[in-house]
């Protein structure tokens, strides 16, 4: 009976993986698109600041601005440059963390899909997919999967994995 309950539970997860396979493995999710857009935007801002710094230098060299004006402008651009560079670096770190987490999630989908055609519970399934099974004295069974967080997105987002 326990094996049947575990198997039916695994079937549900495998079914979810099959249905959402394209989203899990292929689609570029919204958070990743947003990271990429922000990285592009910050990169352009930094490039524009560098152009402005060059223009200020040229204006100083041609006598259009004084040394005091030049120093004030350069200092302001340097602060903005450093600010956006730090934002860009942090954004790239966050994007990499997101990708690492997504790749980890995708590996679980692939593990689930390898059992798609199995018609009964196997030791390999249990070893690969289940962290532990808790049994209580009141006939309560709790199955803790190794990939539990993978489907929280699906359950919370109406059947679609967003991560």
């Amino acid at each position: 009976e326990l094996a049947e309950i575990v198997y039916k539970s695994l079937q549900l997860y495998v079914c979810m993986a099959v249905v959402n396979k394209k989203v899990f493995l292929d689609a570029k999710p919204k958070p990743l698109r947003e990271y990429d857009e922000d990285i592009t935007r910050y990169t352009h801002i930094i490039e524009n600041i560098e152009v402005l710094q060059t223009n200020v230098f040229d204006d100083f060299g041609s006598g259009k601005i004084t040394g005091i004006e030049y120093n004030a402008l350069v200092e302001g651009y340097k602060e903005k440059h450093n600010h956006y560079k730090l934002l860009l670096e942090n954004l790239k770190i966050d994007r990499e963390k997101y990708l690492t987490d997504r790749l980890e999630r995708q590996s679980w989908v692939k593990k689930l899909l390898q059992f798609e055609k199995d018609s009964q519970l196997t030791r390999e399934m249990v070893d690969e997919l289940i962290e532990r099974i808790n049994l209580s004295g009141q006939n309560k069974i709790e199955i803790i999967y190794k990939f539990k967080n993978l489907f929280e997105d699906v359950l919370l987002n109406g059947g679609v994995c967003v991560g």
Side-chain angles (χ1 to χ4, degrees), residues 142-153:
E142 180 185 22
I143 303 167
I144 309 298
Y145 294 97
K146 293 179 179 178
F147 53 86
K148 179 179 174 228
N149 291 337
L150 176 64
F151 290 105
E152 285 178 4
D153 285 346

Side-chain angles (χ1 to χ4, degrees), residues 39-57:
I39 287 170
T40 299
R41 187 165 30 95
Y42 289 154
T43 300
H44 287 308
I45 290 171
I46 290 168
E47 289 169 353
N48 289 336
I49 291 170
E50 290 169 354
V51 168
L52 291 171
Q53 287 174 317
T54 302
N55 291 343
V56 167
F57 180 76

Side-chain angles (χ1 to χ4, degrees), residues 59-147:
D59 288 347
F60 175 67
S62 66
K64 291 180 182 175
I65 61 173
T66 67
I68 293 172
E69 292 170 318
Y70 171 78
N71 288 336
L73 288 170
V74 166
E75 189 58 37
Y77 289 141
K78 188 185 289 187
E79 285 178 23
K80 286 182 181 180
H81 188 269
N82 290 339
H83 171 74
Y84 282 104
K85 208 162 184 170
L86 181 61
L87 287 175
L88 181 61
E89 289 170 14
N90 288 334
L91 192 60
K92 286 179 179 179
I93 290 168
D94 291 346
R95 183 183 187 278
E96 284 304 311
K97 286 179 187 174
Y98 177 85
L99 283 174
T100 300
D101 181 54
R102 182 156 172 82
L103 287 174
E104 185 177 304
R105 289 171 170 226
Q106 288 176 332
S107 73
W108 288 113
V109 173
K110 290 176 184 174
K111 282 187 181 193
L112 281 169
L113 292 173
Q114 84 185 34
F115 299 114
E116 178 181 4
K117 304 246 186 283
D118 291 351
S119 60
Q120 61 184 4
L121 184 65
T122 66
R123 178 74 184 172
E124 183 184 9
M125 276 183 187
V126 172
D127 291 342
E128 285 289 322
L129 305 174
I130 297 176
E131 185 175 317
R132 69 180 184 276
I133 299 173
N134 297 330
L135 303 172
S136 71
Q138 301 167 344
N139 294 330
K140 183 179 176 193
I141 299 170
E142 180 185 22
I143 303 167
I144 309 298
Y145 294 97
K146 293 179 179 178
F147 53 86

